[in-house]
Amino acid sequence: MPEGHTIHRLARDHGEAIANRPITVSSPQGRFDAALVAGKKIVAVEAWGKHLFYRFGGRPARFVHVHLGLFGKFFRHATETTPRATTRMRLATRETTIDLVGPTACEVLDRAEVDLLCARLGVDPLRDDADLDAAAEALHDRRTPIGALLLDQSVVSGIGNVYRAEILFLHRLHPATLGSEIPVRELRALLETTRQLLRRGVENNRIITVSGATLKTPRDEMLYVYKRKACKHCGEKIASVTSGGRALYYCQRCQPVAGMLSAKKGRGTRR
């Protein structure tokens, strides 16, 4: 599933390509009601976490909400071509055609429905209105493993499986450490790291977390722990644990289980 940097990059690229231009919206597949936005221009394209919103002009305001999920993909063409039979939505200007295939969600919403959806989402570190202090407090309030919390889109939006492994490594946190065990100031620093890495991902259109790595760096050298056999920092064998339904990779030497041990000690004391 695409992580937040990909969605924000799509919002930027699509906004530059098709916003404020005469546009035709259609559904070759027939599973999207394009008539609801017929004759309107897209005035802005925005992202919140893993959700993409095309805002159409006119009254009442209409939005096309897209969530790619596991299988959704966009295909962009310089000129209009024959669409795939599975194309859910086609956005076509004179210069550019963008086809959407296989999304989890592609629907027309009004302002109230968009606001309701976004109210269920956590802070998106890439947005200008992101309150990282509030997000740090929300993480600290949970007696839930930090590995699971970082995938909870109702707490923080946009972090996926790759970023969470790399972020936890950079802050030397074992994935089983409870959010409530981590000082708020450290959680705030973790979220600032998240914002910096996501911004880097938007610019590069690729996840790069290793300091000094560039687009010319071999792909398997762009990350510290995710799906690696050995830690790029210390060489220790990489371990994995299932967290939030996904495999979470971590270094047993760089990310010790101090949080787990303190949790057990605390339980013993209370007895």
Side-chain angles (χ1 to χ4, degrees):
M1 181 184 297
E3 304 201 26
H5 74 289
T6 297
I7 307 306
H8 277 267
R9 177 63 182 246
L10 286 168
R12 187 181 80 178
D13 291 352
H14 289 187
E16 292 174 352
I18 63 178
N20 296 305
R21 292 171 172 81
I23 192 166
T24 300
V25 184
S26 61
S27 179
Q29 186 187 52
R31 293 181 57 193
F32 166 68
D33 192 354
L36 293 174
V37 291
K40 299 177 181 289
K41 288 184 180 180
I42 293 172
V43 296
V45 187
E46 302 177 33
W48 190 312
K50 300 180 181 182
H51 299 261
L52 192 62
F53 300 93
Y54 298 86
R55 179 159 59 91
F56 286 78
R59 293 186 179 182
R62 298 283 187 183
F63 299 78
V64 171
H65 163 237
V66 172
H67 189 286
L68 292 176
L70 290 174
F71 306 108
K73 290 183 179 180
F74 283 103
F75 297 91
R76 185 169 168 178
H77 316 285
T79 56
E80 189 167 341
T81 59
T82 302
R84 295 171 171 81
T86 55
T87 299
R88 183 77 56 86
M89 178 177 69
R90 166 165 281 199
L91 305 171
T93 68
R94 290 181 60 184
E95 300 82 15
T96 304
T97 296
I98 297 172
D99 287 342
L100 172 64
V101 174
T104 295
C106 178
E107 57 188 347
V108 177
L109 304 178
D110 61 25
R111 168 59 73 180
E113 290 169 321
V114 170
D115 290 345
L116 184 62
L117 190 160
C118 292
R120 297 197 297 264
L121 299 175
V123 168
D124 178 347
L126 279 175
R127 290 180 59 88
D128 293 338
D129 58 2
D131 187 342
L132 298 191
D133 293 326
E137 293 285 354
L139 289 170
H140 185 68
D141 285 344
R142 305 290 187 93
R143 289 189 58 80
T144 302
I146 188 64
L149 281 175
L150 292 185
L151 278 195
D152 186 342
Q153 301 299 299
S154 70
V155 181
V156 183
S157 288
I159 299 176
N161 208 31
V162 183
Y163 275 121
R164 75 159 170 176
E166 298 294 298
I167 291 164
L168 290 176
F169 170 80
L170 288 168
H171 284 266
R172 302 299 193 262
L173 286 169
H174 190 281
T177 307
L178 302 182
S180 57
E181 292 185 316
I182 305 169
V184 173
R185 65 181 179 277
E186 185 173 347
L187 291 167
R188 178 61 171 78
L190 179 151
L191 291 168
E192 184 58 44
T193 296
T194 301
R195 175 153 59 187
Q196 292 172 6
L197 291 179
L198 286 168
R199 284 176 174 170
R200 189 180 184 187
V202 172
E203 293 305 313
N204 292 314
N205 207 19
R206 186 173 297 172
I207 300 177
I208 302 176
T209 61
V210 171
S211 178
T214 69
L215 286 172
K216 295 181 180 180
T217 302
R219 279 180 178 265
D220 59 354
E221 296 298 316
M222 292 180 175
L223 306 173
Y224 286 104
V225 294
Y226 182 76
K227 284 192 174 180
R228 289 182 60 90
K229 293 181 179 180
C231 173
K232 187 168 177 60
H233 177 71
C234 73
E236 179 74 20
K237 182 179 179 181
I238 293 298
S240 68
V241 62
T242 300
S243 176
R246 307 288 299 279
L248 200 169
Y249 301 86
Y250 68 98
C251 174
Q252 299 175 83
R253 180 181 298 168
C254 295
Q255 297 166 259
V257 294
M260 293 175 65
L261 294 175
S262 65
K264 291 178 181 177
K265 183 178 178 181
R267 287 195 294 271
T269 301
R270 281 192 294 274
R271 289 196 189 95

